[in-house]
Amino acid sequence: MSILSDIFVILLNGLQQGAIYVLLAVGLSIILGTLKFVNFAHGALYLIGTYAGLFVALNVPLSNGKLYEWGLSSIGLDWGFFAALLLVPLLVFVVGLLMERFVARPFYDRPDTDQILVTFGLAIVVQELFRILFGSNSLPFDQPERILSFGSFAGIPVSGPVALPIVGNFPQWRLWVIGITAVLVALVYLLVEYTDFGLVVRAGTRDAEMVRLLGIKITRPYIVVFGIGAALAGVAGVVGGPLNVVNPTIGTNILVPAFLTVVIGGVGSIAGAVVGGIVFGLTTAALVSLAPAWSQVGLYAIAAIVLLTRPQGLLGDEEVAP
Amino acid sequence: MAGLAGCTGGGGGGGGGGGGSDEDYPALGNYPIEGNTAVFGFNVPQSGPYASEGEDELRAYELAVKHLNEGGGWVDTQFDDLSGDGVLGYEIDHVDGDTATDADQARQSASGMIQRDNAIMISGGSSSAVAIAVQGLCQNEKVMFMACLTHSNDTTGKDCVRYSFREMFNAYMTGQALAPVVKEAYGEGLSFYQLYADYSWGQTQQASMEQFMTDVAGWEQVESVATPLGTTDYSTYLSEAQSSGADVLILNHYGLDGANSIQQAVDAGINEDMEIIVPLYNRPMAEAAGGAIEGVYGTLAWDSQIDNTPSKEFTDAFQSEYDRIPSGPAQVAYAQTLQYAAAVERAGTFYPPEVIKQLEDYEYDNIGMGAETMRGCDHQAQRDVPVVKGLPGSEQEAGKYYEIVNITSRDDLGYACDAGPAAECELGSYE
């Protein structure tokens, strides 16, 4: 109604939409910055995270795909959302380790184009695999009602609208998405900035050769970086899943905005990924509100402007060595 | 007398002499058919936001081909013109393509079916943009198009063509069917806010809802906002709608987009402040939206709950083949294929102008939607329209997501040949 409430709604919506991009972009960015590996299969990790989240948290009826034809009329463990939030990142972390070992590692010394081709191919294989298993039909991923319910403790309600001052009704789960993202990104930031592990990773980003000469086996931190990046994509899938219906194309759809976020923020920079995601989210939300016809163009316009004026991204470092 | 006049147009099919009884007509498009097999081209979205609908359409098309060749389903019970032994002695084969819900890709795909596979008839949808693009191509190539899931007024309105027929009703009729029902349910003097998918269908859908909600229900439009096709996050659009102060929110979205927008509207609690209407439903969409459609009114092509013999027979045939309940788009796909085949049998030839004449002003009552006329002036079926209301999540089960509130009679719907969308229709030539 008032301009003030409009601004707050745009801010909140922008932060929420940005949050999912941030989770994906942080993972992409640390993999790209540290390992110099262009991972076009990052969207596929998001896809795996979403379906795994659905599987752990809920029990949904199936009406399509091979699983249905094999006699499964529903899938899911129905263990609740909190369980999914714990288990799925672990699962996708392991998927990330396997991917690093068997897909990424043989391609580290190959050109970017080879890396893009192999990972994009992998993404399509994963997508089609899900399509075969679950069908093209979309599945409803209901928002969690409550999280943290144990025994007599009823848990914290997280779904449905919540009345906020100035803004009015706002979907509560979207606030949780912002909160969960903030916590996870802070953890990754602390890990990279303030631990020995982080030190090795950061040094590796600058000059991998020198780190090796210092006697540090850099493959081990590398595989962990890949795992962490993957796990973040998995979390994005779990928390972002309930915002939309779920189908096999979601991974591909989210890949381009995630990459643009990295480009805007600056490769290798966690803070950059956060800034990029927020800029992205806010731009989309503001354009939808003010000039809907331009909402899709906005992302690309912003990316173009940033690349023209600051090719290394808003918070990215200029390339030190070739 | 082998005619020589058939050299017009760009039909690339082999012009050589074909089957025995075909000599009465000149070559046109892919007529005459070479060999003993007639190829139908099924052009459906197998990827993109309408992929679920496309998948079910394809099942129905394949079932129709099977029944045409081997008997079964409506071929045995509802279509006297059909024998179950092919069509006019030709065995029916089919090819399928992926439109990816994109007009250009659909046109290319259809073009391949016409040029490479010599398809004698093309059928398909979803997405009106796709159907309109393909039917234009078919008119140029002189190949018949049996439109499946296309709901834009323009398909049989300003973009109509002689070579295309539409069984599905349009956005105009949806407005006509919904207005009295929602007026009764929610009252008069309300204000409404519209979001609509920004392409042919969404635009005419929005215009028709504005017209009938204003004229018939006596409501007032606050604002109407276009959203790009394939939007996944509607939250900001929905926040705007919520703060507009309107009483009713009309979501002119379909397929995956529709499932997303309604689910997000409910998550935002909009259904607590506003009444929500989704003018056009279908089953995969309701399935994806789950409990979010509770109490939400809309229309749909057909539903297995419709209680009559053809509907039951189709449901049984589809279920025994695929072990699932057919959706509305599947019924339209199946019906359109048999309609075409029956018209060919009546015409005694695949020569398109004769088949078209058999369909124009044809009256029928055999596909589960009551008595219908395929109107000659715009090729739009005049038929009843089911109005439904979404069931709560707890009452939903496979194949049953809404209750049928009203089957609006075709006598209360439609428009004259010189009015509404038909006023802009110029069908083009037969040959």
Side-chain angles (χ1 to χ4, degrees):
Chain A
M1 226 167 134
S2 71
I3 294 174
L4 194 64
S5 80
D6 279 353
I7 292 173
F8 272 89
V9 167
I10 291 174
L11 277 175
L12 282 176
N13 278 327
L15 281 177
Q16 181 274 308
Q17 288 174 28
I20 300 296
Y21 296 144
V22 170
L23 281 174
L24 286 161
V26 168
L28 262 183
S29 190
I30 57 174
I31 292 172
L32 188 55
T34 313
L35 285 59
K36 304 284 181 280
F37 185 76
V38 189
N39 184 18
F40 264 50
H42 210 66
L45 295 169
Y46 174 84
L47 175 69
I48 294 171
T50 306
Y51 273 90
L54 186 69
F55 183 83
V56 175
L58 301 171
N59 187 292
V60 288
L62 278 184
S63 68
N64 254 302
K66 283 275 176 250
L67 291 179
Y68 174 78
E69 285 167 22
W70 292 336
L72 277 176
S73 60
S74 70
I75 52 150
L77 303 171
D78 203 10
W79 286 355
F81 199 81
F82 191 65
L85 211 49
L86 291 179
L87 293 177
V88 174
L90 285 176
L91 169 81
V92 186
F93 179 80
V94 173
V95 173
L97 299 185
L98 294 172
M99 222 176 115
E100 198 276 343
R101 180 64 193 84
F102 297 107
V103 181
R105 203 176 291 175
F107 280 83
Y108 281 151
D109 296 328
R110 305 268 291 262
D112 291 354
T113 42
D114 290 10
Q115 300 177 352
I116 290 172
L117 282 174
V118 73
T119 49
F120 195 68
L122 181 67
I124 291 176
V125 169
V126 172
Q127 173 178 318
E128 292 309 307
L129 207 61
F130 276 84
R131 192 193 297 286
I132 290 166
L133 287 177
F134 297 91
S136 300
N137 269 22
S138 302
L139 301 171
F141 194 160
D142 292 339
Q143 294 189 358
E145 292 279 324
R146 299 169 172 276
I147 55 174
L148 286 176
S149 42
F150 285 119
S152 60
F153 178 58
I156 309 164
V158 293
S159 85
V162 59
L164 297 179
I166 307 174
V167 172
N169 268 355
F170 193 81
Q172 199 178 163
W173 177 244
R174 289 174 182 261
L175 297 177
W176 281 90
V177 171
I178 300 172
I180 292 171
T181 303
V183 170
L184 285 172
V185 172
L187 285 176
V188 174
Y189 183 79
L190 293 175
L191 181 73
V192 173
E193 291 293 323
Y194 296 104
T195 62
D196 287 349
F197 167 78
L199 191 66
V200 173
V201 168
R202 276 182 294 135
T205 313
R206 286 297 173 104
D207 193 340
E209 196 67 6
M210 183 56 78
V211 178
R212 264 190 219 109
L213 287 175
L214 290 171
I216 296 165
K217 255 191 104 175
I218 206 156
T219 32
R220 210 169 298 146
Y222 273 14
I223 197 170
V224 175
V225 165
F226 209 107
I228 292 174
L232 284 173
V235 176
V238 180
V239 295
L243 297 172
N244 298 305
V245 295
V246 174
N247 67 68
T249 61
I250 52 175
T252 326
N253 296 340
I254 207 150
L255 187 66
V256 171
F259 258 104
L260 289 178
T261 305
V262 174
V263 167
I264 290 178
V267 172
S269 164
I270 293 176
V274 174
V275 171
I278 292 174
V279 168
F280 242 7
L282 289 180
T283 311
T284 315
L287 282 174
V288 162
S289 206
L290 304 171
W294 295 94
S295 60
Q296 305 240 327
V297 185
L299 299 186
Y300 298 94
I302 295 256
I305 292 167
V306 170
L307 281 178
L308 286 172
T309 53
R310 228 185 122 72
Q312 72 273 34
L314 292 174
L315 298 182
D317 291 327
E318 293 208 41
E319 198 79 4
V320 183
Chain B
M1 300 292 121
L4 299 171
C7 304
T8 53
S21 66
D22 291 335
E23 289 170 5
D24 297 343
Y25 302 103
L28 183 69
N30 279 332
Y31 174 87
I33 296 169
E34 286 186 74
N36 301 320
T37 306
V39 178
F40 291 177
F42 301 131
N43 205 17
V44 300
Q46 299 184 46
S47 55
Y50 300 154
S52 312
E53 288 79 0
E55 212 169 55
D56 219 34
E57 285 170 39
L58 198 53
R59 286 187 193 107
Y61 282 130
E62 287 171 351
L63 188 64
V65 168
K66 183 180 173 187
H67 289 170
L68 284 173
N69 288 327
E70 301 169 14
W74 287 348
V75 170
D76 293 348
T77 56
Q78 297 295 332
F79 279 73
D80 295 339
D81 301 317
L82 297 173
S83 59
D85 189 18
V87 178
L88 287 183
Y90 287 85
E91 191 188 348
I92 303 300
D93 195 2
H94 73 282
V95 288
D96 63 82
D98 180 13
T99 67
T101 324
D102 175 81
D104 279 335
Q105 186 165 336
R107 211 184 282 117
Q108 279 175 24
S109 166
S111 188
M113 292 172 174
I114 294 169
Q115 307 295 348
R116 184 191 59 229
D117 305 315
N118 295 324
I120 192 75
M121 181 274 274
I122 305 280
S123 184
S126 315
S127 169
S128 292
V130 164
I132 288 168
V134 174
Q135 73 176 14
L137 173 87
C138 286
Q139 173 77 25
N140 290 337
E141 299 283 342
K142 305 298 176 198
V143 170
M144 286 193 59
F145 181 66
M146 301 300 283
C148 183
L149 193 58
T150 163
H151 185 251
S152 169
N153 293 338
D154 294 344
T155 312
T156 50
K158 78 177 172 56
D159 295 320
C160 71
V161 296
R162 180 72 64 188
Y163 275 68
S164 171
F165 289 87
R166 174 162 68 174
E167 167 61 31
M168 179 77 187
F169 53 91
N170 60 18
Y172 194 94
M173 299 176 193
T174 281
Q176 288 176 315
L178 271 178
V181 175
V182 294
K183 179 184 171 189
E184 171 84 24
Y186 302 136
E188 282 180 74
L190 303 181
S191 58
F192 63 99
Y193 188 105
Q194 294 204 69
L195 294 179
Y196 65 96
D198 197 8
Y199 74 102
S200 175
W201 169 70
Q203 288 153 6
T204 66
Q205 175 64 56
Q206 179 274 338
S208 293
M209 290 306 282
E210 181 173 351
Q211 180 181 345
F212 291 104
M213 293 306 131
T214 310
D215 294 351
V216 178
W219 296 358
E220 188 190 349
Q221 178 165 292
V222 177
E223 202 167 348
S224 175
V225 176
T227 63
L229 180 65
T231 299
T232 49
D233 197 323
Y234 290 90
S235 54
T236 309
Y237 296 105
L238 292 167
S239 304
E240 293 279 311
Q242 197 169 19
S243 59
S244 70
D247 305 305
V248 179
L249 173 63
I250 301 177
L251 297 173
N252 301 294
H253 297 134
Y254 193 65
L256 190 51
D257 290 2
N260 269 325
S261 75
I262 185 148
Q263 195 182 45
Q264 288 165 13
V266 170
D267 289 338
I270 290 182
N271 56 341
E272 291 169 16
D273 310 329
M274 302 169 88
E275 306 296 348
I276 301 177
I277 297 171
V278 175
L280 186 64
Y281 266 129
N282 70 43
R283 222 198 52 204
M285 168 179 167
E287 188 180 349
I293 61 168
E294 177 176 355
V296 174
Y297 285 101
T299 60
L300 54 85
W302 171 88
D303 189 77
S304 55
Q305 295 176 67
I306 290 173
D307 189 16
N308 57 40
T309 312
S311 293
K312 278 203 193 77
E313 285 172 353
F314 174 62
T315 306
D316 289 347
F318 193 93
Q319 213 166 3
S320 68
E321 182 77 14
Y322 298 113
D323 195 22
R324 70 178 70 234
I325 295 167
S327 65
Q331 182 263 359
V332 178
Y334 184 80
Q336 287 286 71
T337 310
L338 298 194
Q339 289 285 22
Y340 169 78
V344 170
E345 290 280 3
R346 291 197 299 276
T349 173
F350 279 97
Y351 183 61
E354 293 303 315
V355 181
I356 291 172
K357 285 171 192 158
Q358 287 300 326
L359 285 167
E360 287 180 337
D361 290 319
Y362 182 63
E363 311 234 346
Y364 52 104
D365 188 4
N366 54 355
I367 68 162
M369 285 310 306
E372 299 188 50
T373 306
M374 184 58 81
R375 198 158 69 172
C377 67
D378 61 353
H379 292 190
Q380 171 64 56
Q382 305 297 304
R383 53 168 277 182
D384 297 352
V385 172
V387 176
V388 296
K389 188 163 117 178
L391 288 171
S394 56
E395 291 174 31
Q396 291 180 4
E397 52 190 276
K400 188 178 171 214
Y401 300 92
Y402 13 64
E403 58 174 315
I404 295 168
V405 177
N406 186 20
I407 294 190
T408 311
S409 161
R410 64 173 179 163
D411 301 335
D412 300 326
L413 304 171
Y415 39 88
C417 280
D418 57 357
E424 296 179 72
C425 170
E426 288 281 346
L427 283 170
S429 63
Y430 280 96
E431 291 165 13

